[in-house]
Structures are given as C-alpha cells and as structure tokens.
Amino acid sequence: MSSSDPSTLNPQLSTPPAWAGGSGPTVRAVHDEFHGDLLEISMGPQHPSTHGVFRMVATLDGETIVKLKPVFGYLHRNHEKLGENTTYLASMPYTDRLDYLCSMTNNWAYALAVEKLAGLNVPERAEYLRIIMGELTRLVNHMCLVGFLFNDLGTSFTPLLYAFREREKILDLFEALTGSRMMCNYQRFGGCRVDPTPEWLAAANKVVQNFPRFLDEFEAMLTGNEIMLARTQGVGRLSRELAISAGITGPMLRASGVDYDLRKVDGYGFYPRFDFRVPLGEHGDTYDRYMMRILEMRESVKILQQAISEMPLGPIMDPKAKLRGFRPRAGEAYGRIEGPKGEIGFYLISDGMPNPYRYRVRPPSFVNLTVLEDMCLGHTVADAVVILGSIDIVLGEVDR
C-alpha cells in the first residue's frame, strides 16, 4: 500500500467496521512516520479473551505492539443516571450488576456511602457478617481470575474448572443466606438483611477450614508450570511510579510494590481487629499479579477463620434505620472499600429527597484498565491477551 494514500495516514479505523454497519476491515495496513508500514488489527468487540464484550485496536510492527487502544462501552446500562432517579434502597440491587462476581462487596461500598450521609451506625454482628461476606467474595473473585488467566495462557482449561468447583461451595452459602447465588442484594443501610443461623455459620466454617487444602493443591499445580513462568515473568511490567500516578488500586497496585490496602489504611468495618498481612510484589509483572491473588486468598482465609470464631451475638440492623420513606439529610459522602479488584467507591450528593441528587461510582476495573497500553507496548498480541487477563476486569463496572 502506498504511503501517499491518505487513508493510511490516520492510525484510527477510517471507516466503520462491518459489525457497526460499515464495510471497514478488522485488519489493515497503516503507515507511521516513525515505524514505517504497520499492521492494525481489531480484536473484538466479541470477547478478546474471556472478560466481557470488549475491543482492542492494536497497531503492530511485525508481531510487536507499538500502539494499543482499548475500546469499551458496549455494555453501558446508564447505571449512574438510574441511581439519580431511583430511591436509595431501590439502587441496592443495581449495585449487584456492576461487578457481577462481587455482589457482596458492591453492596457494602454503597451502603457505607449512604450510612455516612444518614449518620447510621452498624451493629457489631453486622460488621462481622459484612467482613465474612466480603472475604468469601474475595476468594470467589481471585479463584476465577486465576482460572481465567490460565485459560488465556492456553495452558489448560482444568484450573478454571477446579476454581469453579470451589466457587460453587461459596455460592451455595450465598444462596442459602440470601436466596441468590450471584445477585445477592444482601446489605442494608445500617446492617444486613438476614441473620445467619448457627447451621449456616457451621457450614461456612467447614468451607473455610477446607479451603487451604484446595489452595495448596491449586498452587502446586500452577505456580511451577513452565509455560506459565515463561509467559508471565517480565511480561506486562507496571512500574510503581506509573501505578501510583494512574490511580491503580488493589492487587494490581500491590504487585508493583505499593503497600496500600484500604482494609489497613481506612480500617473500615472491624478489620483492625483481625491479624492479617498485605502481600507485596517486587516486579509488577504478570507473574506478580498472579501471585498477589494466591497470597491474598491465604490472608482472606485467616480473616475468615477469626471472624467466624469470634462472631458476636446481637442485632444485625441499626434500630434507627428506616427503609420506608428513607431521606438522608442534605450533604455529600464518599464510601469506599477494598474490593477484590481494588478500591470501589460511591460518591453521593443528597438534597434531602428520596433519591440521590448525584450518584457516581468509582469502579476499580475501569481505572485499572487505563494502563493497558503502557503494559502491552513492546509485547506480542498473545502477550496482550494474558496481560489483560492479569488486570482482572469485569465489563459490568467498566461500562456501567
């Protein structure tokens, strides 16, 4: 293709692709004044790996990525505008649909923001329940991430099946308590919706006590895998400085060596009561991001063992909490927690009416995705799929 052809000078697609009603190609040649003739490929908008309806436009010099543009918005559901036209309580089930693997932690962050607005206190037993649900959710999320990562690597589908087998045990607990396996709608302003029975706590304790054996077998099968080591070590490095300046949070930030965990920094709930450590990486590569999930699952088990054994008796709702006619005082509040993927926060402005005047979500998947290009430059297309998998995104909260 001649470099004088004006259609080759624009690095963006010059015509709409076929899926959008246009006739543009998904692979085409482009010309760059620094790199010469390049190849531009469009991965998506079907699943480029297994993480949702997402598209990557990658510009290649041979097999090396020299530019990458993430394209999203295919799953946009107008979540925040719905929140401004819905009562505070009616928005709780909508939060389930953000990160649909992490319903319980979505609920928690939203409840925390509303409780700050309304000045509600959470009973001690309810705080313990929130921690138990939050850490069980962290186990579910990290298991799935590791399983999907090995699927992206192309090494084996088996780890994902093993992860889903253990995930089912936790989802059984969620279903027994809340009536739903994924969209749990469990938290309430000032507490929790349902108090678990002694039988439920015994079943939860059994799952937690058996989990370290599964984790030992899981890690022994995966961590020394030669293909995994070759494909992840030194791949997709994220520097400490870039991670901080880009606002990255969660395991992805800690894999770059930054000691920042809201469970320690904010001490929300009763996390200061529990003995656990915050694992840190050294290189910020895909391998470190994998190891963060493994190590964090071990710390979650420690928290769960302490929380279940020390569970106090008492109410699970603040008696001052009103579910009908709920109108928090005028003001603003931001509630945030350390979700499995990073900091998930809700910013609310109240004008004293039954629904928020402004409703804004701070989703970790969206923020963490902003450094995808920086992590992929200089790597191959196959590496880009693995790097994307190590970020751990769910398009429900990226697009909202």
Side-chain angles (χ1 to χ4, degrees):
M1 181 175 290
S2 171
S3 61
S4 61
D5 182 355
S7 68
T8 66
L9 300 178
N10 186 351
Q12 303 302 319
L13 291 175
S14 56
T15 57
W19 57 264
S23 58
T26 56
V27 178
R28 72 183 185 93
V30 297
H31 183 79
D32 182 272
E33 59 180 317
F34 298 109
H35 298 92
D37 291 330
L38 303 174
L39 190 69
E40 186 178 83
I41 66 170
S42 176
M43 301 174 63
Q46 73 278 5
H47 298 202
S49 51
T50 55
H51 307 283
V53 185
F54 179 62
R55 177 173 171 233
M56 294 189 292
V57 180
T59 305
L60 307 179
D61 182 3
E63 293 188 7
T64 303
I65 295 174
V66 297
K67 182 176 181 180
L68 186 141
K69 178 184 178 182
V71 183
F72 35 81
Y74 303 103
L75 203 60
H76 180 60
R77 292 151 299 150
N78 215 22
H79 178 98
E80 290 157 335
K81 185 54 66 176
L82 284 171
E84 294 170 5
N85 292 275
T86 307
T87 63
Y88 287 89
L89 182 59
S91 287
M92 184 66 79
Y94 284 118
T95 67
D96 292 335
R97 275 78 178 169
L98 287 169
D99 179 353
Y100 33 78
L101 291 176
C102 302
S103 164
M104 292 289 193
T105 48
N106 299 342
N107 289 177
W108 192 357
Y110 176 59
L112 202 60
V114 176
E115 286 157 3
K116 288 184 178 181
L117 270 180
L120 296 174
N121 296 313
V122 180
E124 188 176 29
R125 183 175 176 86
E127 291 283 21
Y128 272 74
L129 282 173
R130 288 182 173 185
I131 289 173
I132 291 171
M133 300 307 165
E135 296 307 317
L136 286 174
T137 299
R138 201 177 311 276
L139 294 180
V140 166
N141 183 86
H142 288 358
M143 277 191 294
C144 291
L145 176 278
V146 172
F148 283 127
L149 181 62
F150 276 78
N151 193 37
D152 295 341
L153 283 164
T155 56
S156 174
F157 193 64
T158 304
L160 182 60
L161 298 179
Y162 284 176
F164 269 49
R165 181 192 65 188
E166 296 304 309
R167 172 180 180 247
E168 285 299 300
K169 298 174 184 177
I170 297 177
L171 296 189
D172 285 344
L173 293 174
F174 288 168
E175 183 181 25
L177 183 63
T178 71
S180 177
R181 302 175 70 78
M182 292 182 66
M183 311 302 172
C184 298
N185 186 22
Y186 180 64
Q187 312 289 349
R188 289 295 181 267
F189 313 136
C192 300
R193 180 164 61 88
V194 182
D195 195 4
T197 63
E199 292 76 17
W200 187 94
L201 289 172
N205 187 57
K206 182 179 179 181
V207 170
V208 171
Q209 297 301 329
N210 291 335
F211 196 84
R213 177 181 176 182
F214 157 75
L215 198 52
D216 291 342
E217 295 174 349
F218 203 46
E219 187 178 1
M221 176 178 65
L222 304 179
T223 303
N225 184 288
E226 293 183 7
I227 298 176
M228 192 274 287
L229 294 174
R231 294 285 309 280
T232 61
Q233 290 184 331
V235 174
R237 286 181 182 271
L238 177 64
S239 69
R240 174 190 177 96
E241 294 73 23
L242 178 57
I244 294 173
S245 64
I248 306 303
T249 56
M252 193 171 162
L253 175 68
R254 293 187 285 275
S256 296
V258 182
D259 188 359
Y260 186 82
D261 187 315
L262 292 177
R263 293 173 295 178
K264 294 285 190 180
V265 174
D266 286 359
Y268 62 91
F270 285 156
Y271 275 111
R273 295 188 180 186
F274 302 118
D275 177 30
F276 68 100
R277 68 185 186 93
V278 178
L280 298 177
E282 295 181 359
H283 309 290
D285 57 8
T286 300
Y287 180 80
D288 277 2
R289 288 189 287 276
Y290 155 76
M291 282 305 304
M292 282 303 99
R293 273 64 180 219
I294 296 293
L295 296 174
E296 287 193 6
M297 282 193 281
R298 296 194 181 279
E299 298 305 310
S300 290
V301 169
K302 288 168 57 178
I303 295 171
L304 284 164
Q305 289 171 340
Q306 296 171 73
I308 293 174
S309 65
E310 300 170 10
M311 169 75 79
L313 298 175
I316 60 167
M317 282 290 293
D318 184 344
K320 295 186 297 181
K322 288 172 51 181
L323 298 184
R324 292 180 180 235
F326 182 75
R327 294 178 180 229
R329 61 178 181 267
E332 59 183 317
Y334 179 64
R336 64 178 188 172
I337 68 165
E338 184 66 38
K341 294 176 173 63
E343 177 184 331
I344 178 169
F346 288 80
Y347 174 67
L348 302 172
I349 298 179
S350 169
D351 58 0
M353 299 300 288
N355 50 284
Y357 176 73
R358 284 290 181 267
Y359 177 111
R360 176 70 175 169
V361 184
R362 193 271 184 203
S365 290
F366 175 75
V367 178
N368 292 352
L369 191 58
T370 59
V371 292
L372 177 61
E373 180 182 38
D374 301 272
M375 297 162 62
C376 289
L377 293 179
H379 294 294
T380 65
V381 173
D383 290 333
V385 173
V386 178
I387 293 168
L388 174 65
S390 72
I391 295 176
D392 190 12
I393 63 169
V394 165
L395 267 295
E397 70 174 20
V398 171
D399 293 339
R400 303 185 302 290

